[in-house]
Amino acid sequence: MLKRSHLLLFPALLLAACSAPGDVAANTPPPPTATTPASSRALGLFEITFRGGGSQPLSVTARPVGLHAQALTDQPAVSLTPLARADFDQGGRRNLQATMGVSNTSGTPLTNLTFLAVSTPNTIAGTPISTLQRFDGSVADPAIASQIKPGQPKSLEGAAPVVTQRVALFQAYPEAAVSAVSLPRPSGVSDIFPYGFVAAMPGAGARTLPAGSTTGQVTFSFDLPLQPTAQADPFNVSVMVEAYTDTIPAATQTPDELDTAGSAAAVARISALQAQFPNTPVLLNAIGCPVGGSPFAKRIPSVRTAGPAGTPTAMLGAGGNLLSLLSLSPDPYTASSTFLPNSTSFTPTFDQALVDATGFTVRGLQSGQLTGGSGTARQGGGRCLLVKKSSRC
């Protein structure tokens, strides 16, 4: 007999499916709404500048920018001090990282302090990039600005970049969380991008920076494309960020963390964060298929990194190639479905139509994964009939 278990179903060829955020037991409390920094006022606008990299020594600076009309925001509630920097070239891209010390001068504790990428009247159109220069001081190709991608801080181990878990505080958001309705733009900010970098205390990684604290840290990480010649590579790159606090603790699983080790690390981050906030559900924002470990997992198909919200020109993530599982019939989470016959057929409903799906995977918590030839899949608009032919689940 089939025991009640959480199932993730994947069309085997062209599309990968992710479980929906609602795939939790019926007695689980309702999930939090989309995390948003909307309850926070803007705490300071900064220009983060990377100078050098590659064959040249890398230096970093953080400059407060007084674009806001209000005197209160002309004096940022936080300050940034460069502590460390790193860079490496791999696969035709250059990774630039800057770790900044964060001082809380607001007079009150700040929790989930997040530096969101923003555009201003002085940034390259549709991007948070304010400066893009070559080594000789000339202007680099502005098209490079939209190809600069944020992500988790990484180090190069052998030939492969590996996420640096102790500072893996890149945060992605649903687009609605940073809309003008959810998050009004402070004076001088034209647009807010749905990603940022969270500050924490070193050591245990506490997300609350006490009032007057000078020991918080945040690490910014960006990848930029290398050009056909070193002379054409960007040498001086500046990114605009605005500081906010977030009301909901969240972690992000990036496309760099979809393998087994990355998924395990994401689960560990969720567990550590939940220990900090025992009375508040931790939200997992996954750019791809969310791992287990948080009952409140939200798949973000892709994250806008350039262009306006309605017509983005660059994205981080796979976009529409991923599916979300909306429902499953029969529902294995009801009391009547605790035990199911081996011949049970499941009909899932996805958030988009399937194309040429010819196989599937069932992943049971108790019995592991069953893939491919043990079942059939038939297209039906946004539905696919999955016929179970094995009792291994």
Side-chain angles (χ1 to χ4, degrees), residues 18-23 323-328 348-352 382:
C18 298
S19 63
D23 281 357
L323 298 170
S324 279
L325 178 64
L326 300 179
S327 65
L328 188 64
T349 300
F350 298 101
D351 61 350
Q352 56 187 282

Side-chain angles (χ1 to χ4, degrees), residues 292-343:
S294 170
F296 306 118
K298 186 175 191 65
R299 181 177 68 82
I300 303 176
S302 52
V303 175
R304 175 175 59 98
T305 58
T311 54
T313 57
M315 309 285 280
L316 178 67
N321 292 330
L322 290 173
L323 298 170
S324 279
L325 178 64
L326 300 179
S327 65
L328 188 64
S329 179
D331 184 350
Y333 310 114
T334 61
S336 62
S337 297
T338 300
F339 295 98
L340 297 173
N342 289 344
S343 58

Side-chain angles (χ1 to χ4, degrees), residues 104-204:
N104 177 4
T105 58
S106 68
T108 186
L110 298 175
T111 299
N112 297 317
L113 178 66
T114 306
F115 294 84
L116 298 176
V118 300
S119 62
T120 74
N122 298 325
T123 55
I124 296 173
T127 78
I129 308 302
S130 57
T131 303
L132 197 63
Q133 295 178 333
R134 301 186 182 104
F135 178 78
D136 61 6
S138 62
V139 176
D141 183 355
I144 297 173
S146 63
Q147 301 172 48
I148 296 175
K149 300 294 180 68
Q152 299 285 18
K154 300 182 286 287
S155 62
L156 197 60
E157 297 186 7
V162 177
V163 172
T164 308
Q165 293 299 325
R166 62 182 177 82
V167 290
L169 293 169
F170 170 77
Q171 192 71 279
Y173 296 90
E175 193 67 60
V178 297
S179 69
V181 174
S182 299
L183 194 59
R185 278 69 175 123
S187 176
V189 170
S190 307
D191 194 12
I192 299 177
F193 293 89
Y195 71 86
F197 300 87
V198 183
M201 302 295 287

